[in-house]
Amino acid sequence: MKLTIPLVKTSTLLYALNEVSDSISSYRLNTVDGTLIDLGLDVLSGDAPSRIVLDPFGRFLFSASRLTHQLFAFAIDPNTGVLQEPFELTLPNGLQEPVAMAIDPAGRYLYVAADSIACCPNHNALVSYRIDQDSGALEGQSSNTTWSSRLLGTANPTAIVLDPSGRNLYLSTDVNFQVFTPIDGAMGV
């Protein structure tokens, strides 16, 4: 079982990605002895989920399924830490295999690096979505999209990090390191 365990900064909750069982497990940290208490509330997250990321305020958790080319947005119950029913989004315009994700420090945009594009073999893209601040839904799933993208060429993305100000996005690939400065707050990328 492969685990990705980000710690929610605003609480004592931990979430673990289970690729084999296609689920996300929820845990509460015992602050006295440091042990993890399994909340016993695993939620499904597509076929072979490959990444999870939390918004900076612990309100939403996002997961990506590399095999089904989907993103999932879960609202987090502020009292229990339980993940609510997910909002699902299929990647747009032939983008496939989400391999890296990051959220800006203000929690307004989710950035996703896709490992392939159906129309352009061996090309990759960086996509941004606006996060609905009430529901966690990713805006941009309709024809009136609020996502934007940039082609990355043939380099395979591996990780995304934003600086603490949210002005610069750093993308590592299998051959280089790229820096993107978001155009403005409205566009995301």
Side-chain angles (χ1 to χ4, degrees), residues 2 4 17 19 49-53 62-65 98-101 158:
K2 178 180 176 184
T4 302
L17 177 67
E19 281 188 2
S50 55
R51 296 285 182 267
I52 59 175
V53 65
F62 300 91
S63 71
S65 173
V99 294
M101 296 189 304
T158 57

Side-chain angles (χ1 to χ4, degrees), residues 34-98:
T35 59
L36 293 178
I37 301 163
D38 186 347
L39 297 179
L41 302 168
D42 292 5
V43 295
L44 296 178
S45 185
D47 291 337
S50 55
R51 296 285 182 267
I52 59 175
V53 65
L54 291 157
D55 85 309
F57 307 105
R59 298 171 302 167
F60 310 113
L61 180 137
F62 300 91
S63 71
S65 173
R66 189 172 179 154
L67 293 180
T68 60
H69 319 300
Q70 290 178 293
L71 302 176
F72 297 86
F74 298 87
I76 299 172
D77 183 294
N79 298 315
T80 65
V82 172
L83 298 177
Q84 304 302 305
E85 189 69 27
F87 171 82
E88 297 179 32
L89 174 68
T90 300
L91 291 173
N93 296 337
L95 295 177
Q96 300 173 349
E97 300 183 34

Side-chain angles (χ1 to χ4, degrees), residues 159-182:
I160 302 172
V161 176
L162 282 101
D163 72 12
S165 72
R167 287 187 293 247
N168 296 301
L169 182 145
Y170 303 94
L171 175 77
S172 68
T173 71
D174 58 350
V175 294
N176 63 14
F177 188 73
Q178 300 179 34
V179 179
F180 295 90
T181 301

